[in-house]
Amino acid sequence: MTAIAAVGLIGVGGWLRGQVTAQQVPQQSQSAISRTRIALINVNKILKDYRKASYLGQSLMKETEVRGMELKSKQAAIAAMQKELQTAATPEIRDAKERDIRNLQRELEDLDAKHRREMTEKQNQMLTTVYGEIQNVIGILVKTYEVDLVFFYPDAPSDAEKNLPVVLMQKLRPAAAFPIYHRGLDFTDTVVATLNAQYPAPETQPAPAGQAVPGGAGPKQ
C-alpha cells in the first residue's frame, strides 16, 4: 500500500507540475510556437543558379587570370636577366644586370601586393552585393509566404552532385544545424527565380583571359 501511495503521489505531483508549467507559459508564446513557419534555403544552389552571382564570380576569376599573366611576364623577364648574368663579359655589365634584376624583383613584389589588395577589395564588394541582394529577396518572400524563421544550409546544387565527397563532408561535418529530412520547407528555387528576376545578370559574358575586364569584377551597383 505504501508503494502504491508513493506511485500515486508521484503521479499527482507530475500532473500538478504540468498544470503549473502550462499556466506559467504566456498564451501569446504558446500561439506563436504553434504557428511558427520555417523555410530552408540551399545556399550552394543559390550561388550556382543565381546568374548575376555567377557572372560576378566568373568576371573575378578572369581578371585574376589576366593579372596573373602580368606577374608571369615579369617573372620571365627576371629569369631571362638571370640567365644573361651568368654570361656577363665584364664586372660592370654584371653589376648593371644585378641592379636591373633587383629593380624588377621589387616591381614584381609591389605589383603582386597591389593585385592581391585590389582583388581582395573586389571580392569583398562582390560578396557584400550578392549577400545584400539575397537578403532583400528573402525579406520579400518572408512577408509573401508569412515565414517566421529561415535557415541557410549548404548542400549539393543538383542531384548529380549530391554524392560528391566534398558535399558528403559538408553534411557529416556541418558548421551548424543541417536538415537531414524536411517536408516541403525548402523554397530555394523560389529565391533563385526571384533573384534572377529582380537582379538580372548582364547579357554579355565575362571577358576571356588576356582581355581587359570592363568595370573590374562586374557591373557596379
Side-chain angles (χ1 to χ4, degrees):
M1 290 180 62
T2 303
I4 293 173
V7 172
L9 288 174
I10 292 173
V12 171
W15 179 82
L16 286 173
R17 283 196 299 274
Q19 292 298 106
V20 171
T21 303
Q23 292 174 3
Q24 289 175 343
V25 176
Q27 188 64 32
Q28 184 178 2
S29 298
Q30 292 182 7
S31 61
I33 293 173
S34 65
R35 67 171 176 79
T36 299
R37 302 187 64 183
I38 300 174
L40 303 178
I41 299 175
N42 184 353
V43 65
N44 288 348
K45 183 174 176 61
I46 286 181
L47 294 177
K48 180 179 179 181
D49 294 348
Y50 179 22
R51 289 188 290 271
K52 181 178 177 182
S54 179
Y55 175 90
L56 293 175
Q58 290 177 23
S59 298
L60 202 63
M61 290 177 61
K62 295 297 183 183
E63 185 171 357
T64 301
E65 291 176 9
V66 172
R67 290 171 181 258
M69 288 190 293
E70 186 178 357
L71 294 175
K72 287 181 180 179
S73 176
K74 284 193 176 292
Q75 290 171 343
I78 292 172
M81 284 191 176
Q82 289 173 337
K83 189 175 180 179
E84 293 173 1
L85 182 63
Q86 296 174 1
T87 58
T90 64
E92 290 77 10
I93 295 176
R94 183 180 182 87
D95 291 343
K97 289 192 176 296
E98 286 178 345
R99 284 195 301 271
D100 291 340
I101 289 173
R102 286 194 297 269
N103 290 335
L104 275 178
Q105 286 175 334
R106 282 194 293 268
E107 290 178 10
L108 177 63
E109 293 172 358
D110 293 343
L111 186 62
D112 184 40
K114 177 175 178 288
H115 286 346
R116 289 176 184 273
R117 182 176 63 255
E118 291 178 352
M119 294 309 295
T120 298
E121 291 175 356
K122 291 188 176 186
Q123 183 181 43
N124 291 341
Q125 180 184 2
M126 182 192 73
L127 292 173
T128 301
T129 297
V130 171
Y131 182 83
E133 290 170 356
I134 292 173
Q135 196 173 38
N136 289 341
V137 165
I138 289 176
I140 295 171
L141 296 177
V142 161
K143 294 178 181 178
T144 302
Y145 293 94
E146 297 183 351
V147 174
D148 300 295
L149 187 62
V150 177
F151 283 113
F152 271 2
Y153 72 97
D155 202 353
S158 64
D159 290 339
E161 302 169 79
K162 65 182 180 181
N163 289 323
L164 291 177
V166 64
V167 175
L168 297 178
M169 185 61 68
Q170 284 182 322
K171 291 183 177 182
L172 292 174
R173 294 183 178 178
F178 193 97
I180 296 299
Y181 170 79
H182 63 84
R183 184 176 61 183
L185 299 177
D186 196 312
F187 73 135
T188 305
D189 290 338
T190 304
V191 174
V192 170
T194 309
L195 280 167
N196 287 328
Q198 291 278 345
Y199 307 101
E203 296 292 335
T204 58
Q205 294 297 317
Q211 295 182 14
V213 180
K220 295 186 180 298
Q221 295 299 304

